[in-house]
Amino acid sequence: MGYEIGRFEGEVDEELICPICSCVLEEPLQAPQCEHAFCAACIHEWLTRQPTCPVDRSAITPNQLKSVPRILRNLLSRLTISCDNKSFGCTSVMKLDALPSHLQDCEFNPKKPVQCDKGCGLVVPKDEIKDHNCVRELRNMMSQMQQKLTDLQTESMEQKLQLREQKREIQSLTDSLRAVRIMNPRIRDIQTTMENEDLTRWVGSLQAARVTRWGGMISTPDAVLQAVIKRALMESGSPSHVVTELMENAHERRWPSGLSTLETRQLNRRQYENYVTKRIPGKQAVVVMYCENQHMPEDLIIEPGLVMIFAHGVE
């Protein structure tokens, strides 16, 4: 829908009138062949009913519409128009191309956002400020927030139930596969190969790490720290069948003899630089996988690998 002709000062050239709404063109588009111009909203609505030009009935589609020539846009921009809020007291007149910026700041705009100065600080339309009740609006806001919180909690509960069911299904499949492996050695070999391939693929996806301060190693991480590292391992894509073993190997009580005590760690410290280490994403921790460290002495490596957690010094 275009601009009402009565809002303009002086005469308006008929070339600037939309044939559909009989108002001055707003965001004009033109047909590709006949070049008749229409308001964008008017012509799009028209074409939903019939794919023809409203003036000469030539066939057109929405994709064929194009912008009007610059000379037509210039003629429109030079027209002088009154403010949309004239009926509310605004006496301003301006060029058509200045209308949008004026409307944003027009003091007579009844829907202009204003901040409540009664204490709540909410932003409300100007024409609603006199009936604005801070307590009522804040209660409504709190009610909406509470409803949103309830919805999120319900969604979270549903997701937890789904996750629990999926874990049960995975466990059931694992038990079934274990039973098949016991009955068929060939299946056992195939699964072992698949697990090794998954492990190799995951290890290859991790970023190489450089430990600059081996003295910052935490040999006895508590349960909370282990839980954080375990989650990071799972999020990195670690195969589920090795996550538990790796985390058990994060404590010195499960480390090989060359690392199991402070004394042996100090004796073997020169060997640490020979480790191939991979960074656990986002954490001051590395994995030392057996498949990448078979060059190390047997008393410094264990299958499927070690998790080493540091206070600092991992790059």
Side-chain angles (χ1 to χ4, degrees):
M1 180 64 71
Y3 303 99
E4 294 180 6
I5 296 178
R7 293 177 57 188
F8 292 86
E9 293 190 344
E11 294 187 7
V12 178
D13 191 296
E14 64 178 12
E15 294 296 323
L16 305 180
I17 304 299
C18 173
I20 300 176
C21 67
S22 299
C23 295
V24 176
L25 293 166
E26 182 177 2
E27 299 179 358
L29 294 174
Q30 70 176 22
Q33 300 300 327
C34 60
E35 298 187 346
H36 290 123
F38 314 93
C39 299
C42 294
I43 188 61
H44 280 297
E45 182 181 357
W46 176 278
L47 293 178
T48 61
R49 298 192 298 268
Q50 47 186 320
T52 59
C53 171
V55 178
D56 61 15
R57 303 304 187 215
S58 58
I60 55 173
T61 64
N63 292 335
Q64 293 175 318
L65 295 171
K66 58 183 182 179
S67 298
V68 298
R70 183 164 58 183
I71 186 172
L72 185 58
R73 295 199 300 272
N74 289 341
L75 289 172
L76 285 167
S77 67
R78 292 171 186 165
L79 294 176
T80 302
I81 187 173
S82 60
C83 176
D84 292 19
N85 302 311
K86 182 178 180 179
S87 61
F88 297 102
C90 182
T91 58
S92 299
V93 292
M94 69 290 301
K95 297 297 184 183
L96 183 58
D97 59 354
L99 180 62
S101 60
H102 168 77
L103 292 175
Q104 288 183 351
D105 301 322
C106 181
E107 293 298 326
F108 295 90
N109 180 3
K111 295 300 180 183
K112 181 180 180 180
V114 294
Q115 189 172 37
C116 173
D117 59 1
K118 299 177 183 178
C120 70
L122 294 177
V123 175
V124 296
K126 184 179 179 180
D127 61 349
E128 297 178 16
I129 194 69
K130 62 180 181 180
D131 297 321
H132 174 69
N133 183 303
C134 295
V135 174
R136 182 184 64 226
E137 294 301 327
L138 288 174
R139 281 177 177 172
N140 288 339
M141 184 186 300
M142 291 297 295
S143 178
Q144 292 172 4
M145 294 176 65
Q146 184 61 45
Q147 183 59 48
K148 186 174 182 180
L149 178 60
T150 301
D151 293 342
L152 288 174
Q153 289 174 337
T154 301
E155 183 180 351
S156 176
M157 183 62 69
E158 291 175 351
Q159 291 177 347
K160 287 180 180 179
L161 291 174
Q162 291 176 359
L163 182 60
R164 193 174 298 135
E165 182 61 29
Q166 289 174 350
K167 287 182 177 180
R168 278 199 293 264
E169 291 179 2
I170 291 173
Q171 186 60 49
S172 177
L173 289 172
T174 302
D175 293 342
S176 298
L177 187 57
R178 186 178 295 111
V180 172
R181 289 179 60 186
I182 293 174
M183 293 185 294
N184 191 329
R186 178 57 179 162
I187 296 296
R188 183 166 61 249
D189 293 341
I190 293 173
Q191 185 183 10
T192 300
T193 300
M194 292 174 62
E195 290 177 348
N196 290 338
E197 289 176 350
D198 288 343
L199 181 61
T200 301
R201 190 179 303 111
W202 169 67
V203 172
S205 71
L206 297 177
Q207 180 181 354
R210 177 171 172 264
V211 179
T212 60
R213 296 188 180 183
W214 289 97
M217 186 188 306
I218 302 173
S219 60
T220 57
D222 59 26
V224 174
L225 182 55
Q226 289 191 58
V228 170
I229 300 301
K230 182 175 182 179
R231 176 177 295 180
L233 278 174
M234 296 173 68
E235 291 176 350
S236 73
S238 173
S240 57
H241 67 277
V242 298
V243 170
T244 301
E245 286 187 81
L246 284 175
M247 288 312 304
E248 288 177 352
N249 295 346
H251 197 287
E252 65 175 17
R253 63 174 174 266
R254 287 292 299 270
W255 284 354
S257 58
L259 299 172
S260 59
T261 66
L262 179 60
E263 291 75 17
T264 56
R265 287 197 292 275
Q266 290 176 338
L267 287 173
N268 291 307
R269 191 161 183 170
R270 292 180 180 273
Q271 298 268 21
Y272 294 171
E273 296 298 330
N274 297 324
Y275 276 130
V276 176
T277 58
K278 293 296 181 67
R279 180 80 177 265
I280 297 176
K283 305 301 177 185
Q284 285 289 304
V286 300
V287 287
V288 182
M289 301 305 296
Y290 180 84
C291 60
E292 292 187 322
N293 288 276
Q294 297 184 34
H295 59 281
M296 295 296 290
E298 291 184 2
D299 63 344
L300 292 177
I301 191 65
I302 190 173
E303 292 191 70
L306 299 167
V307 168
M308 292 183 175
I309 307 171
F310 295 82
H312 46 69
V314 178
E315 298 178 354

